[in-house]
Amino acid sequence: MKTANLALRPAILLSLVAGLTVTVGLLAPPSILAQDGPAKTVGSGSNIPLAAEAPDQYVVKRGDTLWDISKVFLKEPWYWPEIWYVNPQIANPHLIYPGDVLKLVYVDGQPRLTLAERGGERVEGGRGGTRLSPEVRREPLSQAVTAIPYDVVASFMGRPTLLTKDQVKTAPYIVALRDSHMIGALGNEVYALGIGQAAPETRYSVIHVGEELRDPDNNALLGYSGLYAGSGPVVTQGEPAKIVMTDSTREVLQGDKVFPESVDVKVDFVPHAPDSDIDAAIIAVRRHTVMGQYQVVALNRGAYAGLEPGHILAIHQRGAVVRDNFKQGGLSARRTSRNSDIGNKVQLPSERIGALMVFKAFDNMSYALVMETTHEIRQGDRAKNP
């Protein structure tokens, strides 16, 4: 029997949502990343692209994410809803915990993943084993396996480096600094409106509203860059509430926005492909930066375009524009080497270099987490259906 292990990742979140059933038999889309050998498909009429070394079973480890587990069994993780086979006799069957045993089985000739053991206890689903009596599970829901690294997303939401138009309009803000200071820094006391009766010692991040962020496709205003200024706890409740700055990286000004430093991010979703055609521009959360795995990016498409949390998109690197000086072979190139403006411009094709997962969708833009990439991602690269 084949088994698999995953490298441990930072401890993180999530549950699987119920009711995600997709008809099996669709043609498998091309792999997001180049992989050796053809996709492994099994079962009569099945076109679900199983990984070449998909194990017969897998024991869930602490620190695993749903994305990682999907990659163990599937060549394309967004097929997870099509192979997850719910055990109806188990309370909360969509939750997966460390110690659970996932088994690859076949139902009507189609590959399915089922929960064979719950933390070491055998589960009866009509295919061997003994039926478990209902019992209360000892592990808290917070220990359930998550789709993406929760700490990365929560950190971004607590110290956002990109602000939507609605956040700029409605988020709490610094209205004044104590002793009529115009600029705040480490140790200063500031007053914030809009946080309500926040409990004392609740920490807040102060974010300065920076330059405009515009849609590269139509120049529409999407939001603003957010610059982290500092943070501190609430020391006096009220409207306004008083905050003492215990961390500072730049000056704190009146009008700066205030966000809870500890954010409860909802990520109860599973990887799946969008139903609608998506062609979005990738926007860096900081200008003039390149992006890699587990970095947050923004997209210039949102709920109005059909995006929702859990959607997987392929990342396409923009092809470079080069000069064609080679029509007559190397001799032509040598003659024109001193003048880079000679020769027709040629647009090289875009290349698929990775995948991202949407975790927050607004009306006209989204936040997404880069899940994997083979090259640096730059502002202006595209995100499309996988």
Side-chain angles (χ1 to χ4, degrees), residues 36-74:
D36 295 332
K40 174 184 176 184
T41 58
V42 293
S44 175
S46 171
N47 287 300
I48 297 177
L50 295 181
E53 299 298 326
D56 296 324
Q57 70 176 34
Y58 176 74
V59 180
V60 180
K61 308 295 190 299
R62 188 173 303 279
D64 284 351
T65 66
L66 183 55
W67 175 268
D68 294 328
I69 296 173
S70 299
K71 290 286 287 183
V72 169
F73 291 98
L74 295 167

PDB file of all heavy atoms in Angstrom, residues 36-74:
ATOM      1  N   ASP A  36       6.397  16.170 -15.145  1.00  0.00           N
ATOM      2  CA  ASP A  36       6.883  15.078 -15.967  1.00  0.00           C
ATOM      3  C   ASP A  36       5.819  14.002 -16.078  1.00  0.00           C
ATOM      4  O   ASP A  36       5.211  13.602 -15.085  1.00  0.00           O
ATOM      5  CB  ASP A  36       8.142  14.472 -15.356  1.00  0.00           C
ATOM      6  CG  ASP A  36       9.295  15.465 -15.354  1.00  0.00           C
ATOM      7  OD1 ASP A  36       9.288  16.335 -16.246  1.00  0.00           O
ATOM      8  OD2 ASP A  36      10.169  15.353 -14.473  1.00  0.00           O
ATOM      9  N   GLY A  37       5.633  13.514 -17.309  1.00  0.00           N
ATOM     10  CA  GLY A  37       4.736  12.387 -17.508  1.00  0.00           C
ATOM     11  C   GLY A  37       3.287  12.815 -17.587  1.00  0.00           C
ATOM     12  O   GLY A  37       2.908  13.909 -17.181  1.00  0.00           O
ATOM     13  N   PRO A  38       2.425  11.961 -18.117  1.00  0.00           N
ATOM     14  CA  PRO A  38       1.010  12.280 -18.258  1.00  0.00           C
ATOM     15  C   PRO A  38       0.283  12.210 -16.934  1.00  0.00           C
ATOM     16  O   PRO A  38       0.748  11.600 -15.976  1.00  0.00           O
ATOM     17  CB  PRO A  38       0.511  11.184 -19.221  1.00  0.00           C
ATOM     18  CG  PRO A  38       1.430  10.023 -18.941  1.00  0.00           C
ATOM     19  CD  PRO A  38       2.772  10.626 -18.642  1.00  0.00           C
ATOM     20  N   ALA A  39      -0.883  12.841 -16.889  1.00  0.00           N
ATOM     21  CA  ALA A  39      -1.704  12.766 -15.678  1.00  0.00           C
ATOM     22  C   ALA A  39      -2.186  11.342 -15.494  1.00  0.00           C
ATOM     23  O   ALA A  39      -2.515  10.642 -16.446  1.00  0.00           O
ATOM     24  CB  ALA A  39      -2.893  13.715 -15.809  1.00  0.00           C
ATOM     25  N   LYS A  40      -2.239  10.893 -14.259  1.00  0.00           N
ATOM     26  CA  LYS A  40      -2.731   9.555 -13.942  1.00  0.00           C
ATOM     27  C   LYS A  40      -4.230   9.630 -13.750  1.00  0.00           C
ATOM     28  O   LYS A  40      -4.732  10.325 -12.876  1.00  0.00           O
ATOM     29  CB  LYS A  40      -2.051   9.055 -12.670  1.00  0.00           C
ATOM     30  CG  LYS A  40      -2.597   7.730 -12.156  1.00  0.00           C
ATOM     31  CD  LYS A  40      -1.933   7.375 -10.836  1.00  0.00           C
ATOM     32  CE  LYS A  40      -2.517   6.113 -10.245  1.00  0.00           C
ATOM     33  NZ  LYS A  40      -1.941   5.816  -8.928  1.00  0.00           N
ATOM     34  N   THR A  41      -4.981   8.949 -14.610  1.00  0.00           N
ATOM     35  CA  THR A  41      -6.426   8.913 -14.469  1.00  0.00           C
ATOM     36  C   THR A  41      -6.834   7.476 -14.225  1.00  0.00           C
ATOM     37  O   THR A  41      -6.236   6.533 -14.742  1.00  0.00           O
ATOM     38  CB  THR A  41      -7.132   9.458 -15.724  1.00  0.00           C
ATOM     39  OG1 THR A  41      -6.722   8.684 -16.848  1.00  0.00           O
ATOM     40  CG2 THR A  41      -6.765  10.908 -15.965  1.00  0.00           C
ATOM     41  N   VAL A  42      -7.892   7.307 -13.440  1.00  0.00           N
ATOM     42  CA  VAL A  42      -8.322   5.959 -13.067  1.00  0.00           C
ATOM     43  C   VAL A  42      -9.822   5.867 -13.159  1.00  0.00           C
ATOM     44  O   VAL A  42     -10.535   6.853 -13.137  1.00  0.00           O
ATOM     45  CB  VAL A  42      -7.872   5.620 -11.632  1.00  0.00           C
ATOM     46  CG1 VAL A  42      -6.368   5.520 -11.551  1.00  0.00           C
ATOM     47  CG2 VAL A  42      -8.376   6.650 -10.647  1.00  0.00           C
ATOM     48  N   GLY A  43     -10.319   4.647 -13.250  1.00  0.00           N
ATOM     49  CA  GLY A  43     -11.754   4.435 -13.267  1.00  0.00           C
ATOM     50  C   GLY A  43     -12.322   4.545 -14.668  1.00  0.00           C
ATOM     51  O   GLY A  43     -11.832   5.285 -15.516  1.00  0.00           O
ATOM     52  N   SER A  44     -13.371   3.804 -14.931  1.00  0.00           N
ATOM     53  CA  SER A  44     -13.989   3.807 -16.239  1.00  0.00           C
ATOM     54  C   SER A  44     -14.588   5.174 -16.548  1.00  0.00           C
ATOM     55  O   SER A  44     -15.426   5.678 -15.818  1.00  0.00           O
ATOM     56  CB  SER A  44     -15.073   2.731 -16.293  1.00  0.00           C
ATOM     57  OG  SER A  44     -15.761   2.782 -17.509  1.00  0.00           O
ATOM     58  N   GLY A  45     -14.135   5.791 -17.646  1.00  0.00           N
ATOM     59  CA  GLY A  45     -14.690   7.074 -18.060  1.00  0.00           C
ATOM     60  C   GLY A  45     -14.207   8.247 -17.239  1.00  0.00           C
ATOM     61  O   GLY A  45     -14.669   9.348 -17.425  1.00  0.00           O
ATOM     62  N   SER A  46     -13.259   8.027 -16.318  1.00  0.00           N
ATOM     63  CA  SER A  46     -12.820   9.112 -15.449  1.00  0.00           C
ATOM     64  C   SER A  46     -11.746   9.946 -16.113  1.00  0.00           C
ATOM     65  O   SER A  46     -10.841   9.423 -16.751  1.00  0.00           O
ATOM     66  CB  SER A  46     -12.273   8.538 -14.138  1.00  0.00           C
ATOM     67  OG  SER A  46     -11.656   9.555 -13.389  1.00  0.00           O
ATOM     68  N   ASN A  47     -11.834  11.254 -15.994  1.00  0.00           N
ATOM     69  CA  ASN A  47     -10.819  12.149 -16.500  1.00  0.00           C
ATOM     70  C   ASN A  47     -10.279  13.027 -15.392  1.00  0.00           C
ATOM     71  O   ASN A  47      -9.722  14.082 -15.650  1.00  0.00           O
ATOM     72  CB  ASN A  47     -11.378  13.010 -17.630  1.00  0.00           C
ATOM     73  CG  ASN A  47     -11.568  12.215 -18.910  1.00  0.00           C
ATOM     74  OD1 ASN A  47     -10.625  11.676 -19.462  1.00  0.00           O
ATOM     75  ND2 ASN A  47     -12.806  12.122 -19.361  1.00  0.00           N
ATOM     76  N   ILE A  48     -10.461  12.639 -14.137  1.00  0.00           N
ATOM     77  CA  ILE A  48      -9.884  13.383 -13.029  1.00  0.00           C
ATOM     78  C   ILE A  48      -8.380  13.122 -13.012  1.00  0.00           C
ATOM     79  O   ILE A  48      -7.956  11.975 -12.917  1.00  0.00           O
ATOM     80  CB  ILE A  48     -10.512  12.963 -11.691  1.00  0.00           C
ATOM     81  CG1 ILE A  48     -12.003  13.301 -11.682  1.00  0.00           C
ATOM     82  CG2 ILE A  48      -9.819  13.661 -10.533  1.00  0.00           C
ATOM     83  CD1 ILE A  48     -12.718  12.864 -10.422  1.00  0.00           C
ATOM     84  N   PRO A  49      -7.570  14.161 -13.118  1.00  0.00           N
ATOM     85  CA  PRO A  49      -6.123  13.959 -13.229  1.00  0.00           C
ATOM     86  C   PRO A  49      -5.468  13.702 -11.878  1.00  0.00           C
ATOM     87  O   PRO A  49      -5.018  14.614 -11.194  1.00  0.00           O
ATOM     88  CB  PRO A  49      -5.638  15.277 -13.838  1.00  0.00           C
ATOM     89  CG  PRO A  49      -6.615  16.287 -13.332  1.00  0.00           C
ATOM     90  CD  PRO A  49      -7.939  15.586 -13.211  1.00  0.00           C
ATOM     91  N   LEU A  50      -5.401  12.440 -11.473  1.00  0.00           N
ATOM     92  CA  LEU A  50      -4.713  12.091 -10.242  1.00  0.00           C
ATOM     93  C   LEU A  50      -3.212  12.282 -10.414  1.00  0.00           C
ATOM     94  O   LEU A  50      -2.672  12.165 -11.514  1.00  0.00           O
ATOM     95  CB  LEU A  50      -5.001  10.646  -9.858  1.00  0.00           C
ATOM     96  CG  LEU A  50      -6.449  10.290  -9.497  1.00  0.00           C
ATOM     97  CD1 LEU A  50      -6.538   8.825  -9.129  1.00  0.00           C
ATOM     98  CD2 LEU A  50      -6.953  11.155  -8.363  1.00  0.00           C
ATOM     99  N   ALA A  51      -2.548  12.596  -9.320  1.00  0.00           N
ATOM    100  CA  ALA A  51      -1.100  12.718  -9.349  1.00  0.00           C
ATOM    101  C   ALA A  51      -0.478  11.381  -9.728  1.00  0.00           C
ATOM    102  O   ALA A  51      -1.024  10.309  -9.433  1.00  0.00           O
ATOM    103  CB  ALA A  51      -0.589  13.172  -7.986  1.00  0.00           C
ATOM    104  N   ALA A  52       0.672  11.431 -10.394  1.00  0.00           N
ATOM    105  CA  ALA A  52       1.320  10.207 -10.861  1.00  0.00           C
ATOM    106  C   ALA A  52       1.632   9.254  -9.719  1.00  0.00           C
ATOM    107  O   ALA A  52       1.582   8.044  -9.869  1.00  0.00           O
ATOM    108  CB  ALA A  52       2.603  10.573 -11.618  1.00  0.00           C
ATOM    109  N   GLU A  53       1.953   9.810  -8.537  1.00  0.00           N
ATOM    110  CA  GLU A  53       2.285   8.980  -7.373  1.00  0.00           C
ATOM    111  C   GLU A  53       1.195   9.094  -6.295  1.00  0.00           C
ATOM    112  O   GLU A  53       1.502   9.056  -5.100  1.00  0.00           O
ATOM    113  CB  GLU A  53       3.640   9.400  -6.806  1.00  0.00           C
ATOM    114  CG  GLU A  53       4.799   9.234  -7.771  1.00  0.00           C
ATOM    115  CD  GLU A  53       5.013   7.796  -8.188  1.00  0.00           C
ATOM    116  OE1 GLU A  53       4.769   6.903  -7.347  1.00  0.00           O
ATOM    117  OE2 GLU A  53       5.418   7.555  -9.340  1.00  0.00           O
ATOM    118  N   ALA A  54      -0.048   9.234  -6.700  1.00  0.00           N
ATOM    119  CA  ALA A  54      -1.133   9.340  -5.728  1.00  0.00           C
ATOM    120  C   ALA A  54      -1.159   8.108  -4.835  1.00  0.00           C
ATOM    121  O   ALA A  54      -1.199   6.974  -5.324  1.00  0.00           O
ATOM    122  CB  ALA A  54      -2.475   9.486  -6.443  1.00  0.00           C
ATOM    123  N   PRO A  55      -1.122   8.279  -3.500  1.00  0.00           N
ATOM    124  CA  PRO A  55      -1.093   7.126  -2.594  1.00  0.00           C
ATOM    125  C   PRO A  55      -2.476   6.503  -2.433  1.00  0.00           C
ATOM    126  O   PRO A  55      -3.496   7.118  -2.774  1.00  0.00           O
ATOM    127  CB  PRO A  55      -0.618   7.741  -1.278  1.00  0.00           C
ATOM    128  CG  PRO A  55      -1.150   9.136  -1.328  1.00  0.00           C
ATOM    129  CD  PRO A  55      -1.060   9.554  -2.776  1.00  0.00           C
ATOM    130  N   ASP A  56      -2.518   5.296  -1.910  1.00  0.00           N
ATOM    131  CA  ASP A  56      -3.790   4.650  -1.602  1.00  0.00           C
ATOM    132  C   ASP A  56      -4.427   5.279  -0.360  1.00  0.00           C
ATOM    133  O   ASP A  56      -5.646   5.287  -0.219  1.00  0.00           O
ATOM    134  CB  ASP A  56      -3.592   3.153  -1.366  1.00  0.00           C
ATOM    135  CG  ASP A  56      -3.096   2.444  -2.619  1.00  0.00           C
ATOM    136  OD1 ASP A  56      -3.526   2.839  -3.714  1.00  0.00           O
ATOM    137  OD2 ASP A  56      -2.265   1.528  -2.496  1.00  0.00           O
ATOM    138  N   GLN A  57      -3.594   5.783   0.548  1.00  0.00           N
ATOM    139  CA  GLN A  57      -4.119   6.461   1.724  1.00  0.00           C
ATOM    140  C   GLN A  57      -3.104   7.470   2.224  1.00  0.00           C
ATOM    141  O   GLN A  57      -1.931   7.427   1.866  1.00  0.00           O
ATOM    142  CB  GLN A  57      -4.470   5.474   2.833  1.00  0.00           C
ATOM    143  CG  GLN A  57      -3.271   4.795   3.497  1.00  0.00           C
ATOM    144  CD  GLN A  57      -3.687   3.903   4.639  1.00  0.00           C
ATOM    145  OE1 GLN A  57      -4.746   3.280   4.609  1.00  0.00           O
ATOM    146  NE2 GLN A  57      -2.865   3.849   5.681  1.00  0.00           N
ATOM    147  N   TYR A  58      -3.581   8.389   3.037  1.00  0.00           N
ATOM    148  CA  TYR A  58      -2.717   9.444   3.573  1.00  0.00           C
ATOM    149  C   TYR A  58      -3.172   9.793   4.985  1.00  0.00           C
ATOM    150  O   TYR A  58      -4.372   9.955   5.238  1.00  0.00           O
ATOM    151  CB  TYR A  58      -2.775  10.698   2.695  1.00  0.00           C
ATOM    152  CG  TYR A  58      -1.985  11.843   3.267  1.00  0.00           C
ATOM    153  CD1 TYR A  58      -0.593  11.845   3.230  1.00  0.00           C
ATOM    154  CD2 TYR A  58      -2.629  12.914   3.875  1.00  0.00           C
ATOM    155  CE1 TYR A  58       0.139  12.873   3.774  1.00  0.00           C
ATOM    156  CE2 TYR A  58      -1.905  13.957   4.424  1.00  0.00           C
ATOM    157  CZ  TYR A  58      -0.525  13.935   4.374  1.00  0.00           C
ATOM    158  OH  TYR A  58       0.204  14.952   4.919  1.00  0.00           O
ATOM    159  N   VAL A  59      -2.219   9.887   5.898  1.00  0.00           N
ATOM    160  CA  VAL A  59      -2.501  10.273   7.275  1.00  0.00           C
ATOM    161  C   VAL A  59      -2.268  11.779   7.407  1.00  0.00           C
ATOM    162  O   VAL A  59      -1.166  12.269   7.140  1.00  0.00           O
ATOM    163  CB  VAL A  59      -1.607   9.519   8.276  1.00  0.00           C
ATOM    164  CG1 VAL A  59      -1.928   9.956   9.700  1.00  0.00           C
ATOM    165  CG2 VAL A  59      -1.784   8.018   8.115  1.00  0.00           C
ATOM    166  N   VAL A  60      -3.296  12.515   7.786  1.00  0.00           N
ATOM    167  CA  VAL A  60      -3.223  13.961   7.883  1.00  0.00           C
ATOM    168  C   VAL A  60      -2.274  14.365   9.006  1.00  0.00           C
ATOM    169  O   VAL A  60      -2.368  13.851  10.126  1.00  0.00           O
ATOM    170  CB  VAL A  60      -4.623  14.564   8.124  1.00  0.00           C
ATOM    171  CG1 VAL A  60      -4.543  16.084   8.236  1.00  0.00           C
ATOM    172  CG2 VAL A  60      -5.562  14.160   6.988  1.00  0.00           C
ATOM    173  N   LYS A  61      -1.359  15.279   8.703  1.00  0.00           N
ATOM    174  CA  LYS A  61      -0.379  15.746   9.673  1.00  0.00           C
ATOM    175  C   LYS A  61      -0.754  17.133  10.181  1.00  0.00           C
ATOM    176  O   LYS A  61      -1.404  17.913   9.477  1.00  0.00           O
ATOM    177  CB  LYS A  61       1.014  15.801   9.042  1.00  0.00           C
ATOM    178  CG  LYS A  61       1.455  14.515   8.358  1.00  0.00           C
ATOM    179  CD  LYS A  61       1.604  13.393   9.367  1.00  0.00           C
ATOM    180  CE  LYS A  61       2.268  12.185   8.719  1.00  0.00           C
ATOM    181  NZ  LYS A  61       1.507  11.620   7.605  1.00  0.00           N
ATOM    182  N   ARG A  62      -0.328  17.438  11.387  1.00  0.00           N
ATOM    183  CA  ARG A  62      -0.522  18.778  11.914  1.00  0.00           C
ATOM    184  C   ARG A  62       0.274  19.769  11.069  1.00  0.00           C
ATOM    185  O   ARG A  62       1.449  19.573  10.787  1.00  0.00           O
ATOM    186  CB  ARG A  62      -0.069  18.861  13.372  1.00  0.00           C
ATOM    187  CG  ARG A  62      -0.427  20.178  14.057  1.00  0.00           C
ATOM    188  CD  ARG A  62      -0.103  20.130  15.526  1.00  0.00           C
ATOM    189  NE  ARG A  62      -0.786  19.024  16.191  1.00  0.00           N
ATOM    190  CZ  ARG A  62      -2.061  19.070  16.596  1.00  0.00           C
ATOM    191  NH1 ARG A  62      -2.771  20.168  16.393  1.00  0.00           N
ATOM    192  NH2 ARG A  62      -2.608  18.026  17.180  1.00  0.00           N
ATOM    193  N   GLY A  63      -0.359  20.831  10.651  1.00  0.00           N
ATOM    194  CA  GLY A  63       0.288  21.811   9.793  1.00  0.00           C
ATOM    195  C   GLY A  63      -0.037  21.639   8.321  1.00  0.00           C
ATOM    196  O   GLY A  63       0.281  22.503   7.517  1.00  0.00           O
ATOM    197  N   ASP A  64      -0.671  20.503   7.950  1.00  0.00           N
ATOM    198  CA  ASP A  64      -1.099  20.331   6.565  1.00  0.00           C
ATOM    199  C   ASP A  64      -2.146  21.373   6.201  1.00  0.00           C
ATOM    200  O   ASP A  64      -2.928  21.818   7.054  1.00  0.00           O
ATOM    201  CB  ASP A  64      -1.719  18.945   6.352  1.00  0.00           C
ATOM    202  CG  ASP A  64      -0.679  17.837   6.278  1.00  0.00           C
ATOM    203  OD1 ASP A  64       0.519  18.156   6.221  1.00  0.00           O
ATOM    204  OD2 ASP A  64      -1.082  16.658   6.290  1.00  0.00           O
ATOM    205  N   THR A  65      -2.184  21.745   4.928  1.00  0.00           N
ATOM    206  CA  THR A  65      -3.284  22.542   4.402  1.00  0.00           C
ATOM    207  C   THR A  65      -4.058  21.706   3.396  1.00  0.00           C
ATOM    208  O   THR A  65      -3.533  20.708   2.864  1.00  0.00           O
ATOM    209  CB  THR A  65      -2.788  23.823   3.710  1.00  0.00           C
ATOM    210  OG1 THR A  65      -2.047  23.459   2.531  1.00  0.00           O
ATOM    211  CG2 THR A  65      -1.909  24.645   4.637  1.00  0.00           C
ATOM    212  N   LEU A  66      -5.276  22.103   3.115  1.00  0.00           N
ATOM    213  CA  LEU A  66      -6.080  21.385   2.135  1.00  0.00           C
ATOM    214  C   LEU A  66      -5.415  21.427   0.761  1.00  0.00           C
ATOM    215  O   LEU A  66      -5.477  20.469  -0.007  1.00  0.00           O
ATOM    216  CB  LEU A  66      -7.486  21.983   2.061  1.00  0.00           C
ATOM    217  CG  LEU A  66      -8.478  21.283   1.128  1.00  0.00           C
ATOM    218  CD1 LEU A  66      -8.585  19.817   1.468  1.00  0.00           C
ATOM    219  CD2 LEU A  66      -9.832  21.962   1.205  1.00  0.00           C
ATOM    220  N   TRP A  67      -4.750  22.545   0.448  1.00  0.00           N
ATOM    221  CA  TRP A  67      -4.030  22.650  -0.819  1.00  0.00           C
ATOM    222  C   TRP A  67      -2.952  21.574  -0.908  1.00  0.00           C
ATOM    223  O   TRP A  67      -2.806  20.894  -1.912  1.00  0.00           O
ATOM    224  CB  TRP A  67      -3.424  24.039  -0.946  1.00  0.00           C
ATOM    225  CG  TRP A  67      -2.566  24.217  -2.156  1.00  0.00           C
ATOM    226  CD1 TRP A  67      -1.221  24.036  -2.257  1.00  0.00           C
ATOM    227  CD2 TRP A  67      -3.011  24.613  -3.467  1.00  0.00           C
ATOM    228  NE1 TRP A  67      -0.789  24.288  -3.532  1.00  0.00           N
ATOM    229  CE2 TRP A  67      -1.862  24.649  -4.291  1.00  0.00           C
ATOM    230  CE3 TRP A  67      -4.254  24.930  -4.006  1.00  0.00           C
ATOM    231  CZ2 TRP A  67      -1.931  24.997  -5.641  1.00  0.00           C
ATOM    232  CZ3 TRP A  67      -4.313  25.285  -5.352  1.00  0.00           C
ATOM    233  CH2 TRP A  67      -3.166  25.314  -6.149  1.00  0.00           C
ATOM    234  N   ASP A  68      -2.189  21.404   0.176  1.00  0.00           N
ATOM    235  CA  ASP A  68      -1.121  20.408   0.189  1.00  0.00           C
ATOM    236  C   ASP A  68      -1.673  18.989   0.033  1.00  0.00           C
ATOM    237  O   ASP A  68      -1.122  18.179  -0.714  1.00  0.00           O
ATOM    238  CB  ASP A  68      -0.318  20.497   1.493  1.00  0.00           C
ATOM    239  CG  ASP A  68       0.434  21.801   1.622  1.00  0.00           C
ATOM    240  OD1 ASP A  68       0.841  22.347   0.588  1.00  0.00           O
ATOM    241  OD2 ASP A  68       0.612  22.275   2.748  1.00  0.00           O
ATOM    242  N   ILE A  69      -2.751  18.702   0.758  1.00  0.00           N
ATOM    243  CA  ILE A  69      -3.347  17.370   0.672  1.00  0.00           C
ATOM    244  C   ILE A  69      -3.881  17.124  -0.742  1.00  0.00           C
ATOM    245  O   ILE A  69      -3.741  16.032  -1.298  1.00  0.00           O
ATOM    246  CB  ILE A  69      -4.459  17.207   1.719  1.00  0.00           C
ATOM    247  CG1 ILE A  69      -3.871  17.308   3.136  1.00  0.00           C
ATOM    248  CG2 ILE A  69      -5.181  15.883   1.540  1.00  0.00           C
ATOM    249  CD1 ILE A  69      -4.907  17.337   4.229  1.00  0.00           C
ATOM    250  N   SER A  70      -4.482  18.142  -1.332  1.00  0.00           N
ATOM    251  CA  SER A  70      -4.984  18.007  -2.702  1.00  0.00           C
ATOM    252  C   SER A  70      -3.859  17.672  -3.662  1.00  0.00           C
ATOM    253  O   SER A  70      -4.018  16.849  -4.575  1.00  0.00           O
ATOM    254  CB  SER A  70      -5.681  19.303  -3.138  1.00  0.00           C
ATOM    255  OG  SER A  70      -6.789  19.595  -2.317  1.00  0.00           O
ATOM    256  N   LYS A  71      -2.700  18.304  -3.465  1.00  0.00           N
ATOM    257  CA  LYS A  71      -1.562  18.062  -4.355  1.00  0.00           C
ATOM    258  C   LYS A  71      -1.020  16.638  -4.217  1.00  0.00           C
ATOM    259  O   LYS A  71      -0.405  16.112  -5.141  1.00  0.00           O
ATOM    260  CB  LYS A  71      -0.456  19.068  -4.066  1.00  0.00           C
ATOM    261  CG  LYS A  71      -0.776  20.488  -4.469  1.00  0.00           C
ATOM    262  CD  LYS A  71      -0.727  20.683  -5.966  1.00  0.00           C
ATOM    263  CE  LYS A  71       0.674  20.679  -6.500  1.00  0.00           C
ATOM    264  NZ  LYS A  71       0.721  20.938  -7.960  1.00  0.00           N
ATOM    265  N   VAL A  72      -1.223  16.029  -3.039  1.00  0.00           N
ATOM    266  CA  VAL A  72      -0.789  14.643  -2.861  1.00  0.00           C
ATOM    267  C   VAL A  72      -1.564  13.713  -3.794  1.00  0.00           C
ATOM    268  O   VAL A  72      -0.996  12.794  -4.392  1.00  0.00           O
ATOM    269  CB  VAL A  72      -0.975  14.202  -1.395  1.00  0.00           C
ATOM    270  CG1 VAL A  72      -0.786  12.697  -1.257  1.00  0.00           C
ATOM    271  CG2 VAL A  72       0.012  14.934  -0.497  1.00  0.00           C
ATOM    272  N   PHE A  73      -2.865  13.959  -3.944  1.00  0.00           N
ATOM    273  CA  PHE A  73      -3.724  13.059  -4.706  1.00  0.00           C
ATOM    274  C   PHE A  73      -3.990  13.546  -6.122  1.00  0.00           C
ATOM    275  O   PHE A  73      -4.279  12.728  -7.002  1.00  0.00           O
ATOM    276  CB  PHE A  73      -5.062  12.871  -3.984  1.00  0.00           C
ATOM    277  CG  PHE A  73      -4.959  12.101  -2.702  1.00  0.00           C
ATOM    278  CD1 PHE A  73      -4.907  12.755  -1.483  1.00  0.00           C
ATOM    279  CD2 PHE A  73      -4.901  10.716  -2.705  1.00  0.00           C
ATOM    280  CE1 PHE A  73      -4.816  12.052  -0.293  1.00  0.00           C
ATOM    281  CE2 PHE A  73      -4.805   9.999  -1.531  1.00  0.00           C
ATOM    282  CZ  PHE A  73      -4.755  10.666  -0.317  1.00  0.00           C
ATOM    283  N   LEU A  74      -3.940  14.840  -6.356  1.00  0.00           N
ATOM    284  CA  LEU A  74      -4.391  15.397  -7.626  1.00  0.00           C
ATOM    285  C   LEU A  74      -3.296  16.180  -8.331  1.00  0.00           C
ATOM    286  O   LEU A  74      -2.491  16.858  -7.691  1.00  0.00           O
ATOM    287  CB  LEU A  74      -5.588  16.325  -7.400  1.00  0.00           C
ATOM    288  CG  LEU A  74      -6.860  15.674  -6.879  1.00  0.00           C
ATOM    289  CD1 LEU A  74      -7.845  16.732  -6.411  1.00  0.00           C
ATOM    290  CD2 LEU A  74      -7.494  14.809  -7.959  1.00  0.00           C
TER     291      LEU A  74
END
